Amino acid sequence: MKVIYKKSELKEIVKEAAKTKDIALVPTMGALHKGHKSLIDKAVNENDFVIVSVFVNPTQFGPNEDYDKYPRTLDNDIKLCENSGADIIFAPSPKEMYDEIYFEEKETTLVCPPYKYVNKLCGKSRPGHFDGVCTVVSKLFNLTKCKRAYFGKKDAQQLFIIKKMVSELDFDVEIVPVDIVREDDGLATSSRNTYLSESDRIFAVNIHKGLEKAKELYQKGIIESQTLIDTAMAYLKDFDVDYVEVVSLEDFEKIGTIKNEALMLIAAKTPDKKVRLIDNIEL
Ligand code: AMP
């Protein structure tokens, strides 16, 4: 496995590989864990050339977010990718990835999803976040010439928006969704879990418990979203809740009475360290 830091080097390798192989991309911000590993494993199983990108993307972080303190563990990431059978880690610096103008004027050409996709859920509380995500993912698609790209269902709104972007911008890339990986007690595995204090870690599992309880009620025939939302909220008393919502899986619009496939999503900050955690469940 090779670790590549330069776009020019990546392009050379991709040019050669693309002649005989289907290239797959797993975009990540590093601090890799078993959630990322399940994406990489699936990509390795289904393709003959796998590129994992490790890049903490500055354009998707707001000014008061955790860009500076986001965990960076490249040595461990390299080991995990090597053990999983990936072919390349692409780990550019921000200066390699973005042109000078971004660092001088905090501006660059952006890929911006429509307002209706971003005016809710994580897009509402993180203005500009999905512009940054779509921009970096577009750049990675162009650089890697990937046929398939693997995204976790944990970031459900991101997955929805990326699928829309691929369709609306005619990218020739198949988006492959991957199920959420959890710790033994149900907490969704996340690089940000390392920020949790001991008491936060105990509280954090309530997010998943709330989702599970709501699903249980839904399966018993409760189809009013508000009842399910109230049920999940009861598990989040100590949290600073950003949102608890039910949306249609088809268009990500909020729904009152559930008739078709739906998703319940939670974003909440933990009581002690105010770590913002997200999770969701298909109802
Ligand atoms: P990140 O490094 O947080 O940007 O995540 C990179 C990719 O890994 C995204 O597609 C995430 O949805 C996915 N991912 C992160 N955590 C998990 C998890 N616990 N289960 C499944 N996919 C995950």
Side-chain angles (χ1 to χ4, degrees), residues 78 81 89 108 139 202 205 229 257-258:
I78 292 171
C81 288
I89 291 193
T108 183
K139 286 164 76 70
I202 294 164
V205 71
I229 290 169
T257 306
I258 306 168

Side-chain angles (χ1 to χ4, degrees), residues 26-30 32-33 35-36 38-39 60 70 150-155 158 178-182 188-192:
V26 182
T28 82
M29 296 203 298
L32 301 183
H33 50 64
H36 298 112
S38 76
L39 272 66
Q60 72 188 67
Y70 197 85
Y150 291 72
F151 288 86
K153 291 186 184 177
K154 172 163 178 288
D155 298 271
Q158 167 174 285
V178 182
D179 286 340
I180 301 176
V181 173
R182 301 180 177 282
T189 310
S190 165
S191 308
R192 290 192 169 98

Side-chain angles (χ1 to χ4, degrees), residues 37-89:
K37 184 164 168 37
S38 76
L39 272 66
I40 300 166
D41 287 346
K42 192 166 164 61
V44 168
N45 270 333
E46 296 176 354
N47 303 275
D48 33 34
F49 197 84
V50 175
I51 302 173
V52 179
S53 61
V54 170
F55 180 59
V56 185
N57 173 35
T59 63
Q60 72 188 67
F61 285 79
N64 299 316
E65 294 184 350
D66 57 343
Y67 175 71
D68 287 332
K69 74 164 187 171
Y70 197 85
R72 288 159 170 89
T73 61
L74 188 60
D75 289 347
N76 282 334
D77 297 347
I78 292 171
K79 280 185 209 135
L80 185 144
C81 288
E82 207 152 36
N83 290 336
S84 309
D87 296 276
I88 301 284
I89 291 193

Side-chain angles (χ1 to χ4, degrees), residues 84-264:
S84 309
D87 296 276
I88 301 284
I89 291 193
F90 177 51
S93 67
K95 292 227 153 130
E96 176 67 14
M97 206 53 179
Y98 288 103
D99 286 354
E100 206 50 52
I101 183 161
Y102 172 68
F103 301 96
E104 284 164 6
E105 301 177 22
K106 279 280 164 241
E107 277 201 305
T108 183
T109 301
L110 290 172
V111 177
C112 304
Y115 183 63
K116 71 179 280 191
Y117 301 160
V118 299
N119 68 348
K120 57 192 159 205
L121 307 167
C122 287
K124 190 172 176 188
S125 38
R126 304 186 68 187
H129 171 68
F130 288 115
D131 298 352
V133 169
C134 287
T135 301
V136 80
V137 170
S138 301
K139 286 164 76 70
L140 290 167
F141 284 176
N142 287 333
L143 288 165
T144 61
K145 307 259 181 287
C146 59
K147 278 248 159 27
R148 295 191 193 88
Y150 291 72
F151 288 86
K153 291 186 184 177
K154 172 163 178 288
D155 298 271
Q157 190 178 13
Q158 167 174 285
L159 177 59
F160 172 78
I161 288 174
I162 294 290
K163 279 187 190 158
K164 286 288 184 192
M165 178 187 85
V166 162
S167 147
E168 292 171 18
L169 294 184
D170 303 305
F171 277 109
D172 199 6
V173 178
E174 180 193 343
I175 301 302
V176 184
V178 182
D179 286 340
I180 301 176
V181 173
R182 301 180 177 282
E183 303 298 339
D184 290 343
D185 61 2
L187 173 68
T189 310
S190 165
S191 308
R192 290 192 169 98
N193 290 352
T194 55
Y195 301 157
L196 298 171
S197 66
E198 258 179 60
S199 69
D200 274 344
R201 180 62 189 81
I202 294 164
F203 276 116
V205 71
N206 279 349
I207 297 177
H208 180 242
K209 280 189 184 159
L211 291 168
E212 286 278 340
K213 188 70 191 172
K215 180 168 178 143
E216 191 187 312
L217 288 192
Y218 173 71
Q219 285 173 335
K220 284 184 181 156
I222 309 283
I223 55 169
E224 291 309 322
S225 295
Q226 196 54 53
T227 311
L228 302 177
I229 290 169
D230 293 344
T231 302
M233 278 294 264
Y235 284 80
L236 303 172
K237 279 196 199 96
D238 302 290
F239 286 76
D240 179 357
V241 177
D242 183 355
Y243 60 75
V244 180
E245 295 287 359
V246 177
V247 302
S248 153
L249 257 180
E250 202 179 308
D251 57 10
F252 247 70
E253 291 294 329
K254 290 178 197 176
I255 34 182
T257 306
I258 306 168
K259 294 187 183 110
N260 296 313
E261 284 183 316
L263 191 70
M264 176 176 249

